[in-house]
Amino acid sequence: MSDDKHDLPEDEERPEHDLDDDDDLDDDDLEEAGETSVSIDITGLNVYTHHGVSAAEQEVGQRLLIDIGFELDTCDATVTDELDDTVDYGAVCQQVWLAAQKQSYKTLERLCGAIADHLMDHFGVDSVMVRATKPEPPIPLPVGDVAVEVWKER
């Protein structure tokens, strides 16, 4: 068996690639790259909240798992590699947490709607999906979890 690693050129013989070449992108470069749709999905954001119908849910609180989905019709970050040219999912997580803490709701439907509205306003996106899951729902029957998913578009 041959050891192929010896067949590779030495570092000084390899062609150089200037990684900074992409820094000089202009509008023509972005147009030539074409339109690219991007889907950003965040799953399992663990948030402790005080939402629910029962007094115990609102007083003691419970853990919710929140999933978020964005469809971006245009996303220059696929070409520019710049965070400013996309939706920062770290910032999305912060805003979801803030929206979930801002007010207590009885239904997951209303909570998801409020989070979706907040994200659309804050990030200027045209559509968003929000899913809230109660991993330990207060139901007196054997059930794994319950979830509500809301889609909103402008």
Side-chain angles (χ1 to χ4, degrees):
M1 205 158 97
S2 142
D3 191 356
D4 293 334
K5 72 179 180 180
H6 296 293
D7 296 336
L8 295 174
E10 296 297 321
D11 286 342
E12 59 272 0
E13 296 173 12
R14 292 184 188 159
E16 290 186 24
H17 175 70
D18 186 0
L19 297 176
D20 293 332
D21 285 345
D22 294 339
D23 290 346
D24 297 328
L25 294 174
D26 59 19
D27 290 340
D28 292 335
D29 294 326
L30 294 176
E31 286 177 20
E32 288 174 16
E35 294 292 323
T36 302
S37 294
V38 171
S39 174
I40 296 176
D41 296 305
I42 300 166
T43 59
L45 178 61
N46 200 330
V47 180
Y48 195 84
T49 67
H50 296 271
H51 304 287
V53 175
S54 74
E57 287 178 296
Q58 293 203 4
E59 290 172 22
V60 176
Q62 65 190 308
R63 180 174 65 101
L64 295 181
L65 298 175
I66 308 223
D67 302 335
I68 307 296
F70 290 99
E71 296 292 329
L72 305 178
D73 291 335
T74 59
C75 181
D76 292 342
T78 61
V79 176
T80 66
D81 197 27
E82 294 294 327
L83 186 58
D84 289 341
D85 291 334
T86 189
V87 174
D88 178 350
Y89 47 82
V92 170
C93 290
Q94 280 290 91
Q95 292 302 315
V96 168
W97 185 87
L98 288 171
Q101 304 303 318
K102 185 175 182 180
Q103 181 176 339
S104 181
Y105 298 106
K106 291 179 186 171
T107 65
L108 291 180
E109 290 82 352
R110 181 64 189 110
L111 172 64
C112 289
I115 291 171
D117 289 339
H118 180 76
L119 293 176
M120 290 173 76
D121 291 343
H122 190 82
F123 293 101
V125 295
D126 292 328
S127 65
V128 66
M129 179 282 300
V130 179
R131 178 181 177 94
T133 302
K134 287 185 180 183
E136 294 121 15
I139 298 174
L141 295 169
V143 62
D145 57 30
V146 296
V148 170
E149 188 169 292
V150 169
W151 300 268
K152 284 214 173 187
E153 291 186 32
R154 287 192 208 261

